[in-house]
Structures are given as structure tokens and as C-alpha cells.
Amino acid sequence: MKKLILIDDHKMLRKGIASFILEKSDWQVAFEAESLSEIPLILQKIKSSNKNDDSDIYVAVVDIQLKDESGNNYSNGFEAIKLLKENGIESVVFSSHDTGSCIETAMSEQVGAKGFVSKCSSEQVLLDAIDYVSKRQTYIQSDLVTSFIARQNLFSMLTKREQQVVKYIEQNYSNEEIAQRLGIKINTLDNYISIIYDKLGCQNRTSLLEKLK
């Protein structure tokens, strides 16, 4: 049996997806969650049910932005995807945060999503992604591929060290913090940043971040 796990902190959105999925496919919505903290219990229930029958196929639909217990928004959807992956469940990201940077992070080995769909897309595109991922295939919404590839092409122009610097810049670390994390002098970091700007045709942090979206 094909079963979905819907993880999104907007109840109405979950209900809308569930309604479409049940009407248009043979998938069943087995579990819903609105926070990272609910996932361990879901995994425990799946593990218990699999003792009697391990023929079920599970795919999770996960938003990047999930609220924590205090009601604040965090990008802990990535943590949800990692936790699911560790327990053998593949995920499709369904998010309004659909820049090349978000796609790269979600689909990276460190996070492990197998699909990415924008919330601006139709429900049918999401269903297509779910079907692909259930067959262990990768799916990125077609009109998002261009920005993803463009970002990959930009990164291919940089050395591994320069890529590290850029990723820290994207995480809003100051130059002093980046130098400390990389174990280098601040003037050495300044040289790296100057080279990065030159390679990518940027003048400052703002233009660099804009280009890498």
C-alpha cells in the first residue's frame, strides 16, 4: 500500500493536499505533522506496523519552514528530511522557498530530499513528484531546474575553499566569524572574497547573494 506523510505547519494546506491526493490517486494519507518534534512518534508507529507487514511504501511531503514548539518559524524542515531519510523514508520538499540555494541544500547528500516542488505549482505536479520518488527516482519541478543548474554552474567556477566561504556568507556569518571557522587570517579571507567577487562578477555581498539565489 502507498502511504503519505504530510509535514507542514499549515493545517488547511495539508487538508487540501490530502483531499486532492485521495481523489486523484491510489495514495493514502497515513500521517500528518506540523513540527519536527512529532516525527519520532510517527516513525515509531511505522516501525511497529512494519513488524507485521513491510510491503507499505512511504513518501513524505515536507515544507522547509516548520514551526517549533514556541511558534517560531525555522528552516528545520531540512532536519525532518534527514531524520526521515535515516529511517528509510524518502521526501519531496513542497515549499515556497524555491530558490536555487534551497533546492541545492534540500537535495544535497547532507539533507537527502529526492524531490522538490514549489508551492506555486499545481497539485498534479506534486503528485507526479511523489510517484517518481516512490520509485527511487529524483524529481525537480521543471521550471526550477534552470535556477538550480545556474547555481551549480557558478559553484563549478570556485575552488572547494571558495565554495566554503560562499556558503558561510549565505548563512550571514561575518568575515571575522568565517575566518575563525576556517582557521585562517582575516586578510587571507579578504583575498578569497575578492577572488570570488572577480570570478562571479560581483561587487559586494548583496550582489553575490542575489546571483546565488
Side-chain angles (χ1 to χ4, degrees):
M1 190 174 293
K2 300 193 293 187
K3 297 183 177 181
L4 279 182
I5 305 169
L6 300 181
I7 305 173
D8 193 295
D9 56 17
H10 292 91
K11 184 176 180 179
M12 292 300 294
L13 180 63
R14 294 199 311 271
K15 296 303 180 187
I17 295 172
S19 177
F20 178 86
I21 294 294
L22 291 173
E23 180 183 352
K24 301 294 184 180
S25 75
D26 55 353
W27 285 90
Q28 292 187 0
V29 178
F31 299 101
E32 295 185 28
E34 60 181 22
S35 67
L36 179 63
S37 62
E38 296 174 64
I39 296 176
L41 180 58
I42 290 174
L43 293 171
Q44 185 179 354
K45 289 180 179 179
I46 291 173
K47 187 176 180 179
S48 296
S49 65
N50 283 349
K51 288 179 180 179
N52 300 319
D53 182 7
D54 61 357
S55 63
D56 291 337
I57 298 172
Y58 285 92
V59 173
V61 175
V62 187
D63 189 8
I64 292 174
Q65 292 285 77
L66 300 175
K67 291 178 182 176
D68 65 1
E69 289 76 5
S70 67
N72 295 316
N73 280 308
Y74 291 97
S75 298
N76 55 15
F78 293 137
E79 295 301 319
I81 294 165
K82 287 193 283 186
L83 181 57
L84 292 161
K85 181 77 172 180
E86 290 168 1
N87 287 272
I89 298 174
E90 303 291 2
S91 297
V92 175
V93 174
F94 188 52
S95 177
S96 56
H97 298 270
D98 53 12
T99 62
S101 174
C102 287
I103 298 170
E104 181 188 53
T105 301
M107 307 292 285
S108 67
E109 290 185 10
Q110 291 79 10
V111 176
K114 292 289 287 183
F116 199 108
V117 176
S118 170
K119 282 187 175 178
C120 295
S121 70
S122 68
E123 292 91 342
Q124 185 59 51
V125 174
L126 177 60
L127 180 56
D128 290 344
I130 293 167
D131 286 333
Y132 267 83
V133 169
S134 71
K135 299 170 185 174
R136 302 292 175 176
Q137 298 175 338
T138 299
Y139 185 101
I140 300 177
Q141 183 181 325
S142 59
D143 53 345
L144 299 180
V145 172
T146 301
S147 61
F148 177 62
I149 292 176
R151 179 181 169 86
Q152 294 295 304
N153 288 340
L154 287 173
F155 265 79
S156 69
M157 300 167 62
L158 307 176
T159 65
K160 288 185 178 180
R161 177 62 95 182
E162 290 164 357
Q163 290 176 17
Q164 286 180 308
V165 171
V166 169
K167 288 184 182 295
Y168 280 129
I169 289 174
E170 287 185 305
Q171 294 173 50
N172 293 319
Y173 286 107
S174 67
N175 284 7
E176 291 75 14
E177 290 171 327
I178 296 173
Q180 185 177 16
R181 284 176 172 268
L182 295 177
I184 59 178
K185 295 180 179 179
I186 191 68
N187 61 332
T188 302
L189 176 66
D190 289 340
N191 288 335
Y192 277 126
I193 293 175
S194 178
I195 292 170
I196 291 167
Y197 287 168
D198 185 53
K199 284 184 176 181
L200 302 186
C202 302
Q203 292 75 45
N204 49 43
R205 276 193 176 219
T206 301
S207 59
L208 173 64
L209 293 173
E210 185 65 29
K211 179 161 285 192
L212 291 169
K213 281 184 177 179

